[in-house]
Structure formats: structure tokens, C-alpha cells
Amino acid sequence: MEITLATHYGFCQGVKNAINIVNNINHDNKPIYMLNKLVHNNNVCEQFINNGIIILDDDRSLEEKINSINEGTIIFSAHGHDKKLNTLAKNKNLNIIDTTCPKVILNEKSIIKALNENKTVIYIGIKKHPETIASLSISNKIIFLDFFNPDYSLIENLDNVSVHNQTTLIQDDLKKINDVLIKKIKHIEIHNDICFATTLRQKCFDQITNEDVIFVIGDKISSNSTRLYEVAKNKFKIDVYHISNLEEIKKLDLHKYKKGFITAGASTPDQVINPIIKYLTNY
Ligand code: SF4
């Protein structure tokens, strides 16, 4: 198959930075806990487990997880976290490693600034996503709008509003929500907080000309990979596959396709992407 590669795909700087921090942790005899998946990719997480890190990927809140730990190091993920948890961990004498992406930190600061200026803050995000949970923990005054199902009754009669959002949303769909807010609220400032890495990866679909199939490589649990897949599905009439790994793509009969476009989410490692590129190129 003839292959076109997206000009920007795979790991973003925030993910590289987080992995680098974890790979440089000094291992002593005490346990190291990752409170949830550092980045949403199972391949990356398996490598951490192989390096002796315990990943607490269950449904408990971060607070419950920290309360269950008595010694060692805890790692906060790249998505951000409730800063009150730092105090909880310090009170338990736990060593804290924070891998929050600088862009997420910037967004959190801008929410705090708006609150300090007595603005009403609206946050648009995906329900239960760690970044959304972290952002909403800044203040219980923040009004949450679900990216997939915004309840506009929550914003009736608001004024002096600052609108913020999760970093890995879809640009076009976010714009639709923001356009409604602009119409309904007189004094409003919109902070489009989708990160540069996410924007670049979504923009790469503009490269597509005569390809007859698109492959989005990334874990199904990854927000940015899933959003990339959704963008492609909505934008093009050709077939789009969301592929987690080589084993998955090997099960597909792809003989009818002549020219494929490959991209990958910001949490997908090269060791997952490269074998798929090789497989498809030789198909
Ligand atoms: Fe940071 Fe964006 Fe990467 Fe998330 S996707 S880690 S916000 S650069």
C-alpha cells in the first residue's frame, strides 16, 4: 500500500516530558505508585510496570488511593490533579512526583486568574476525564459543560464569563459550543485551551488528497487518539480505522485499499506506530 504519513503524529512534548520524569525516578526499596495511567496508552504503561512501578488504575478517587498508601512515592499523571492532594500526600510523608504537562498548568493558572477577577468560569470538557476532574477541583464555583452533551440551561442569565476547556477536544466541535455561548452571554471571553499538539494533529488531515483509507493509531482509552478518529470519521467519506496495535491491524483485510494515510495520537509511542507503518507499506 502506498502510504502518506501525517506531518505531525505520535508523542507530544507533554507526554515525552512525563515519561522522561518517570524514567529518571530514583528507585529505592520503597514502592512507587502511579495513581492513574500517566498517559492513556497501555503499551507505555506496561513498560512502567516492567520497571517496577505499581499502577493503581481502578475506579477509586485519587484521594482514596493516596489514603490507602503508607509509604513510598506517588506519581501524578500528565493530566493534572487536585492540588489539595499534595497536602494529603505530604501529611502521609509520601514522596510526590508531578508530571503535569506545562500546557495543563498554564490552563489551570488562567482559570485561577479568571476566578480571582470575579469572573464566572465555564469549563468545557469530557466527563470524568482526569484533566476535567483536575480543572473542576480548582473551585466548586466552576460551571461544567459536557463537551458531548452541553446543558445550556446551566448558563442562563450569566454575565462576565470566562470560558476554558480541556486540551484534547476537537476544534470544530468546541467552536460550535463557544458560538452558542457567545450568542447567549453578553460579556464573555473565550480561552481556546486546546493544546498546540492536539491542534497540529487534527490539522494534518488537510494533507489528505486521494487516499482511500485512514488509519489512526492510538489506544481506545486515549482521548486525543479517539478525538482524532472522530475528526477523520466526520470529515471524510473514506474508511477510517482506529488501531491500537499491530496485532489488531493484522486481522483486517485491506486488499481493496491502494493509498493509506497514517496518523497517531499524542500518547502513542513510536514502538507501536513504526511496526504498523512497516506492515502497511509492505501490504
Ligand atoms: Fe500536554 Fe497537549 Fe500533550 Fe496533553 S496532548 S500532554 S496537553 S501537549
Side-chain angles (χ1 to χ4, degrees):
M1 192 184 303
E2 195 183 329
I3 290 297
T4 307
L5 263 181
T7 44
H8 300 277
Y9 66 90
F11 275 179
C12 60
Q13 202 46 48
V15 167
K16 283 185 194 164
N17 183 42
I19 292 173
N20 206 19
I21 292 172
V22 174
N23 287 341
N24 283 304
I25 295 175
N26 273 336
H27 288 241
D28 49 22
N29 287 330
K30 293 194 176 152
I32 303 172
Y33 298 95
M34 200 170 270
L35 296 176
N36 45 23
K37 287 187 166 148
L38 184 85
V39 289
H40 288 153
N41 184 277
N42 283 327
N43 189 279
V44 174
C45 291
E46 271 165 31
Q47 287 174 30
F48 292 141
I49 293 168
N50 292 339
N51 287 337
I53 290 170
I54 303 159
I55 302 181
L56 302 178
D57 187 34
D58 55 63
D59 288 340
R60 287 175 299 163
S61 67
L62 296 190
E63 186 177 354
E64 286 170 315
K65 289 176 188 176
I66 295 171
N67 272 326
S68 72
I69 298 169
N70 294 319
E71 60 164 2
T73 297
I74 57 165
I75 303 167
F76 286 116
S77 79
H79 309 98
H81 62 277
D82 183 344
K83 301 300 174 284
K84 291 189 281 298
L85 297 173
N86 291 350
T87 314
L88 176 64
K90 276 181 198 154
N91 288 343
K92 296 196 78 181
N93 284 325
L94 301 174
N95 183 29
I96 299 171
I97 303 285
D98 186 357
T99 69
T100 307
C101 173
K103 170 62 180 158
V104 174
I105 294 173
L106 215 61
N107 293 354
E108 290 174 350
K109 281 186 180 161
S110 125
I111 293 173
I112 293 167
K113 182 169 176 284
L115 289 167
N116 287 341
E117 289 167 351
N118 287 323
K119 290 177 179 148
T120 300
V121 169
I122 293 176
Y123 185 85
I124 306 165
I126 296 170
K127 237 185 198 169
K128 294 188 181 167
H129 187 280
E131 190 184 329
T132 296
I133 295 172
S135 299
L136 295 180
S137 75
I138 294 172
S139 164
N140 56 15
K141 289 185 182 155
I142 300 173
I143 297 171
F144 171 63
L145 278 191
D146 183 352
F147 178 64
F148 294 118
N149 188 20
D151 177 0
Y152 294 113
S153 71
L154 296 171
I155 57 137
E156 293 300 337
N157 304 319
L158 291 184
D159 202 5
N160 194 23
V161 167
S162 184
V163 185
H164 304 254
N165 61 270
Q166 195 183 320
T167 53
T168 49
L169 303 181
I170 299 172
Q171 284 290 4
D172 291 350
D173 294 351
L174 177 66
K175 185 177 179 313
K176 282 179 202 154
I177 298 176
N178 282 334
D179 285 349
V180 174
L181 298 181
I182 288 167
K183 272 195 195 128
K184 283 181 174 280
I185 301 166
K186 198 169 170 198
H187 299 104
I188 183 166
E189 56 183 46
I190 305 280
H191 299 254
N192 183 333
D193 297 322
I194 294 181
C195 72
F196 193 50
T198 298
T199 306
L200 274 182
R201 279 152 190 73
Q202 289 176 13
K203 265 189 95 57
C204 281
F205 290 123
D206 294 346
Q207 285 174 250
I208 291 181
T209 51
N210 57 350
E211 284 77 6
D212 53 8
V213 60
I214 297 170
F215 300 98
V216 177
I217 310 171
D219 233 290
K220 306 287 192 301
I221 56 166
S222 152
S223 171
N224 65 75
S225 302
T226 308
R227 300 293 85 73
L228 262 188
Y229 169 74
E230 287 167 357
V231 170
K233 270 293 240 193
N234 289 334
K235 198 166 177 173
F236 301 100
K237 291 205 166 64
I238 56 177
D239 288 339
V240 183
Y241 293 94
H242 186 175
I243 300 293
S244 299
N245 52 46
L246 183 63
E247 287 64 43
E248 232 178 80
I249 205 165
K250 278 184 175 171
K251 291 179 189 149
L252 301 173
D253 180 3
L254 304 169
H255 283 99
K256 66 175 173 175
Y257 304 115
K258 302 260 175 300
K259 201 165 177 210
F261 181 83
I262 299 181
T263 184
S267 52
T268 318
D270 281 349
Q271 59 264 43
V272 171
I273 303 167
N274 289 341
I276 296 177
I277 295 175
K278 194 173 168 196
Y279 176 78
L280 288 173
T281 308
N282 294 326
Y283 198 86

